[in-house]
Amino acid sequence: MTKWSQWRFSLVFTVLAGMLTAIHGQPSNDREAATVASYEVASVKPSSPQEVRAVIMVRRDDSRLTAKSITLKFLIQFAYGHEQALAPNLVVGGPAWYDKARFDIEAKPEGRRIPSMEEHRQMLRALLADRFKVSVHTESRQMTLLALVDDKGGPKIKPHKADDVGEHRGIGPGGTKGGQQVSCRDVSMDALASFLESTVFKSPVRNKTGLPGTFDFDLSWMPDETQFGGRYKSASPGELPDLGTALREQLGLQLRSEKGPVDVIVVDHAEQPSEN
């Protein structure tokens, strides 16, 4: 899978606000305050075997949600996530096919109002219940997690200013040094923890910095075999530091391993959808 495909699978929410953004909510139109409860039109069908690029995104022009070559498990991860999709090990249970069969979805919201990200997630949950007969419940389980905390010297990141105008908002790729570089603008520590959870480690990461508000920063590192599903296990170190060093030196943060209660989504039931 190419680097571009890796990013698109986990992060794409809008396509016209830059190459990639973190999954931030889009602004609502105050002139039409009615809550969007469901998609007006939704098409669900099996993906073509030739389609290997997994994408989920929302069009800026008509707020249509498009998913291509996406498993039901990832749809659940996305629908029940917050800043980003849930890590894979935070969705458990379900039939064997739900992490293998791939689907294409086109879903259009009702009315002209632009739904927020959270509204899209709520509508997607309703669609999954209707078309895939998905039912879930939440359980708290003791798990090993990573806690994002301040380093000894304190954070080195710059608070975002409301009047700052940049090329993008959210978390996007940056730099060309190899490894991974992310450019973060107007990003909260919760969003950074969610990015590390869903995209880098694919296991629980919790924000315990206590830092309020949003920040602007860049982060560059060479991933190891524990990150990005092991795609970098044969990569040479190069000129970039490992993630732990990068967090300390560039952001004044660190990751600490600990055990604690973590909410997981348990899939009680799911069915193959009828094509339409």
Side-chain angles (χ1 to χ4, degrees), residues 53-72:
R53 182 181 59 180
V55 176
I56 184 167
M57 59 187 172
V58 171
R59 292 170 57 97
R60 177 61 64 89
D61 54 357
D62 62 1
S63 292
R64 185 185 302 269
L65 181 141
T66 298
K68 290 190 177 297
S69 196
I70 296 291
T71 65
L72 175 58

Side-chain angles (χ1 to χ4, degrees), residues 4-5 53 60 67 99 113 130 160 173 205 231 241 253 259:
W4 168 237
S5 297
R53 182 181 59 180
R60 177 61 64 89
D99 198 22
R113 177 173 170 271
D130 178 45
H160 177 75
V205 179
R231 297 187 187 103
L253 303 173
K259 279 189 174 292

Side-chain angles (χ1 to χ4, degrees), residues 118-137:
E118 183 56 33
E119 288 171 324
H120 269 290
R121 293 190 192 279
Q122 292 171 0
M123 292 187 289
L124 182 55
R125 292 175 201 170
L127 185 151
L128 297 180
D130 178 45
R131 303 297 294 278
F132 291 84
K133 308 305 179 189
V134 168
S135 62
V136 305
H137 72 274

